[in-house]
Amino acid sequence: MENRLIAEIQKLKKEKNAIILAHYYVNEELQALADYVGDSFYLAKVAKGTDADVVVFCGVSFMGESAKMLNPEKTVLMPDITADCPMAHMAQVEKIKELREKYEDLAVVCYINSTAELKSHSDVCVTSSNAVKIVKNLPNQNIFFIPDVNLGRFVAEQVPEKNVILNDGYCPIHKDITGTSIKELKKKHPEALVMAHPECKENVVKLADYVGSTADMIAFAKQSECKEFIVCTEEGVNYRLREDNPDKKFYFGGEYLCRDMKLNTLEKVLHVLKTGENEMKLPEELCEKAVAPLDRMLALAK
Ligand code: 13P
Ligand code: SF4
């Protein structure tokens, strides 16, 4: 059954000059199928540079929106149009306006995990792999970091010379990762290195030997001489970690699954390729405003 679906998808992909992009949190069979798999930053760069006519994005809506904004003439198809990141909505335009009045030099730094509407009110986007570098190099002293409190706090710690104002958004999946569960794993596997995504809470990040994006953690585990790792992020990364490191062991403190990422399936990829349904569409005016901070990110992260 799976092989038949894959064969049909491959055939349609050729016919339609389509590519499949997948985030490390989607189901394994989609990561195996995709032309490009990566973290949010890598996928944004691929979306910007592709020659394909159609991009099928196995991820959540902010990723599809970004792909569409960076490449408005392309068709961007979402296998499940309801797959959405709850954190992407966790900031208020009113608060941005209020702080812009208070601080003359305010830079609104917007984590890419945000709606197009929030991006359109921001100065620059960042991802977990370039946030520290970009905030450090901004000329502004006052930064409002939206929507993620945890990535914002991590950036503030790395860039103490700036006034980073935090918002109160968070990722519900990373929020569930507890310091207690990581300490228990560490007791069982004392040799293991702890890797954490910066969306984790402060007490979890403090326990980590390495903090980075999904792609950064995957690269860290690959080059490390250590044979065991405790992983503090969504479990989808386990697929790449296992494929790249058959001789190493990876432990997770619980079942950390992003329900929205998991809405993507092979059947749905085939369906959208066949029908052209679930096309990502954005009002032109919103697109124009919201792409500016994304383009600035791509330029500053070089
Ligand atoms: P990265 O893959 O950029 O680390 O992002 C993690 C995430 O939560 C995406 O939704
Ligand atoms: Fe959003 Fe968290 Fe899911 Fe990433 S893992 S898409 S931040 S809810």
Side-chain angles (χ1 to χ4, degrees), residues 7-18 270 273-274:
E8 266 192 78
I9 291 170
Q10 301 291 19
K11 187 164 158 275
L12 282 168
K13 245 177 58 183
K14 263 201 206 126
E15 278 170 29
K16 310 218 163 176
N17 188 25
L270 178 59
L273 270 171
K274 251 189 205 162

Side-chain angles (χ1 to χ4, degrees), residues 148-168:
D148 187 13
V149 66
N150 291 304
L151 180 60
R153 187 203 62 252
F154 179 72
V155 170
E157 282 166 10
Q158 309 298 310
V159 193
E161 66 275 21
K162 303 222 172 185
N163 174 35
V164 181
I165 303 155
L166 299 177
N167 182 60
D168 55 8

Side-chain angles (χ1 to χ4, degrees), residues 182 193-197 202-212 230 232:
I182 303 310
L193 290 179
V194 179
M195 304 191 292
H197 196 280
E202 187 170 14
N203 62 330
V204 173
V205 169
K206 290 270 180 288
L207 295 171
D209 298 290
Y210 181 78
V211 182
I230 295 165
C232 310

Side-chain angles (χ1 to χ4, degrees), residues 23 25 59-60 62-63 84-88 111 113 148 170-174 197 199 233-234 257-261:
H23 188 268
Y25 293 162
V60 290
F62 77 81
M63 297 179 168
D84 194 9
C85 169
M87 177 164 63
Y111 189 21
N113 297 35
D148 187 13
Y170 61 90
C171 162
I173 287 78
H174 287 87
H197 196 280
E199 286 177 20
T233 193
E234 210 269 359
L257 300 175
C258 176
R259 194 195 69 88
D260 287 272
M261 288 283 187

